[in-house]
Amino acid sequence: MELVCIKSISISILEKLKAFLHLIKSRQQAALGVGRYKLKNDLPILDRKRESELKQRNMKLAKSIGVSEDLALDFSKILMKHSKILQQNLL
């Protein structure tokens, strides 16, 4: 009986991961749009002030829905790192 339960939970986790990865793909497309805007308007890819604002916003959002602020911060850093890589590849 326990094996059936853990398999069900594993399947649920995998489904959530798949949805999560689709959201990341969508976010990457949005980051490319931001990159194109920056390129067109001669703006730098790196904007430390804006990154700081976004990290703070994401931590507050996480806290408001009961998710670890540290997790939100770590996740924000990873997303921003990969967004900058995508944007730099536009140059």
Side-chain angles (χ1 to χ4, degrees):
M1 191 75 128
E2 245 179 71
L3 184 58
V4 173
C5 184
I6 195 72
K7 279 190 172 194
S8 175
I9 293 169
S10 293
I11 290 168
S12 175
I13 289 171
L14 181 59
E15 289 171 355
K16 287 168 178 51
L17 175 62
K18 185 177 179 182
F20 184 67
L21 292 172
H22 280 287
L23 289 172
I24 289 173
K25 182 178 180 180
S26 176
R27 189 191 184 285
Q28 286 178 315
Q29 294 302 313
L32 284 171
V34 170
R36 288 185 200 97
Y37 176 87
K38 289 177 179 180
L39 187 62
K40 182 179 177 183
N41 292 282
D42 198 32
L43 297 170
I45 290 171
L46 178 61
D47 183 343
R48 291 188 195 282
K49 181 181 179 205
R50 180 67 178 146
E51 282 187 21
S52 179
E53 292 168 355
L54 292 173
K55 289 174 192 172
Q56 291 300 314
R57 180 201 66 189
N58 295 347
M59 289 171 62
K60 285 180 186 176
L61 177 60
K63 183 177 182 179
S64 75
I65 61 174
V67 173
S68 163
E69 292 176 77
D70 288 338
L71 175 58
L73 179 59
D74 290 345
F75 189 65
S76 295
K77 289 176 183 178
I78 291 168
L79 289 173
M80 289 178 195
K81 172 187 171 186
H82 288 275
S83 292
K84 288 182 281 191
I85 290 169
L86 287 171
Q87 292 173 6
Q88 288 169 343
N89 289 335
L90 292 173
L91 301 177

